[in-house]
Amino acid sequence: DTEVTQTPKHLVMGMTNKKSLKCEQHMGHRAMYWYKQKAKKPPELMFVYSYEKLSINESVPSRFSPECPNSSLLNLHLHALQPEDSALYLCASSRIAGSSYEQYFGPGTRLTVT
Amino acid sequence: ELKVEQNPLFLSMQEGKNYTIYCNYSTTSDRLYWYRQDPGKSLESLFVLLSNGAVKQEGRLMASLDTKARLSTLHITAAVHDLSATYFCAVDLMNRDDKIIFGKGTRLHILP
């Protein structure tokens, strides 16, 4: 199983809503990532979890709150987002962070903030 | 700070032609990845290059890595329409950090 799954596929939320994005992998990977991708741009790294601990936060606003409940799951909690946060949010995993193993990407969640 | 530059950023080419996408990076690294992204879709891993002189081929695509020149190439042979997509290279910081740095991507449009 070389699959990273993400739910939901699409999400529309108002600026006062609270929602969560979910990511799951069962490849035994110990590194998981959140990226944000705007149209026609490369993915921008947001967070890295290594062995279920947050190892990188790329100065992401606090309205984005990551959580890694266990080695297979990664959540991104959203609160009080702005319209400019509308983007494709990609989750990825790799065998170990900082190693020679490629990152496997999930299908993404298309987020629209109204 | 590591910089990753791809060129061209946009390429329109005829089916049957050959072309090369270039990926230059600014610091030492022996690990580089190529990804493909179709419109509205996620990233698909194409190649993992882990050493100087590494060359990998899959179908009409061939990737190579020259770590001394800090250059990777993605060569397309006899292009077909199905290869139309955006191609990203990404450079691994190799234990200096738990992340990879993406180039801006090359939007490839192959005309039938």
Side-chain angles (χ1 to χ4, degrees), chain A residues 20-48:
Chain A
S20 296
L21 309 184
K22 296 185 184 300
C23 173
E24 191 167 3
Q25 57 87 14
H26 294 288
M27 295 179 278
H29 289 177
R30 302 311 298 272
M32 297 185 77
Y33 311 78
W34 280 116
Y35 289 87
K36 172 183 177 180
Q37 188 179 26
K38 301 285 264 185
K40 300 182 182 179
K41 299 289 186 182
E44 298 174 34
L45 183 66
M46 300 174 72
F47 303 103
V48 180

Side-chain angles (χ1 to χ4, degrees), chain B residues 4-29:
Chain B
V4 181
E5 295 185 354
Q6 280 183 244
N7 70 84
L9 296 182
F10 182 78
L11 176 58
S12 182
M13 56 191 291
Q14 295 284 339
E15 277 193 328
K17 299 290 187 182
N18 303 333
Y19 210 81
T20 301
I21 300 170
Y22 298 89
C23 176
N24 290 90
Y25 54 97
S26 62
T27 191
T28 55
S29 175

